[in-house]
Amino acid sequence: MAPSLLATAGGLLLLFAFSSAQRGDNIASCTQNDGFGMYCPTTCGVADYLHRYLPGVTKDLDGFLAELETISNLTQGTEENIVYMKDTVTSAQKTSPSDSSYKRSSSMLDDVYRFEKTIIAQESQIRELQEIISANDRSITSLKQLAMQLQQKCSEPCKDTVEIQPTTGTDCQDIANKGATTSGLYFVKPAKATEQFLVYCEIDNFGRGFTVIQRRRDGSVDFHKDWTQYKQGFGYLSPDDTTEFWLGNEKIHLLTLSTTFPTVLRIELVDWEGNKRYADYTRFRVGPEADKYRLTYAYYFGGDAGDAFDGVDFGDDPSDKFYTSHNGMHFSTHDQDNDKYDGNCAQQDRSGWWMNRCHAAHLNGRYYRGGRYTAKDAGEHGYDNGIIWATWHDRWYSLKETTMKIIPLSRITAEDGQQTGVKQFAGLGDV
Ligand SMILES: [Ca+2]
């Protein structure tokens, strides 16, 4: 019985795991080959998997029930034997002549007492077993109900509710150039990419198509991830721009590869008072994995958030600014220390970033509700590890929302100007 019981329990655990996997953060990374569909999240991928899995679980449950019935029958047989033995003893007591065969009778009585004791002990064992059986019966009934509910839930053919726009292109500007006017999810295939991948395109009224590479919104996604996860991307892309994600270093590399069409990185920040600021960097590039996804840009192109990528003099040490600048830094994660520090910045700060020793800008940092946090809040290492843009708020203030998005340089200063575009950018709080 044990293996089958284990299999059933395991099966159900799996069921629960998948039924809650849709919005949780327990899928390590999302690739096209993981069976969950082409993008994250897809409700149907999960539901289809459940649907395939359910018959096996039901079969296990039926087997389990049959085994319990066998046990129940065996117990009943034992009870019948005891009743029969009791009857035999009673009749033996009745028929034995007490005067002539006293000795024989006495030893027989001893036997009968012993026998009765055994029967009493067995009877209590049987009662325990019966209780176990009825408890099992109850849990089987509820498990069967649960299985039926799940089956009902997944019996309808699943339709993906995530809407993907039909236009495709090399990036979101290319898609906007082809006439797309709606912000949402699109497939892009940069020139050197071997396959297309999904991105969120922010398309504004001036026909500008920003490809979004990072979103922080509400702290729903943990950004403490390893090298592979940062390489492939994690979090959730949503058609209504409500979720948090890192697009993935490989994809960002492919999107910023071209030297003929330089890219601008626009960073948009929202603090806990609802103030919004931005920073632009031109000729933004992320190198190949062989170069540890190195960050490079030509210069700070403008904005009102200040140039935190250039480092900040915190007043602790004359070399502060030099050691907190980010241009030219390799990407680091807790399992790949490529920083300029004796220790491991990414591990201490629980993020992945272009770490120096360590940072003045840190948009993949830990999410702190309310903004202000202390060294004590920061955990065992006690270093500033929030979502930081130190040329605006100091490093013990963690921002509420961030966006990192890219657009060809030729479009950033489009006729209506960046100021107009920036005033339009909306935080989640505006919705
Ligand atoms: Ca180091």
Side-chain angles (χ1 to χ4, degrees), residues 337 339 341-344:
D337 176 3
D339 62 31
Y341 172 52
D342 291 343
N344 183 334

Side-chain angles (χ1 to χ4, degrees), residues 332 336-346 356-357:
S332 286
Q336 270 223 35
D337 176 3
N338 302 312
D339 62 31
K340 308 285 184 196
Y341 172 52
D342 291 343
N344 183 334
C345 295
N356 188 338
R357 205 175 101 177

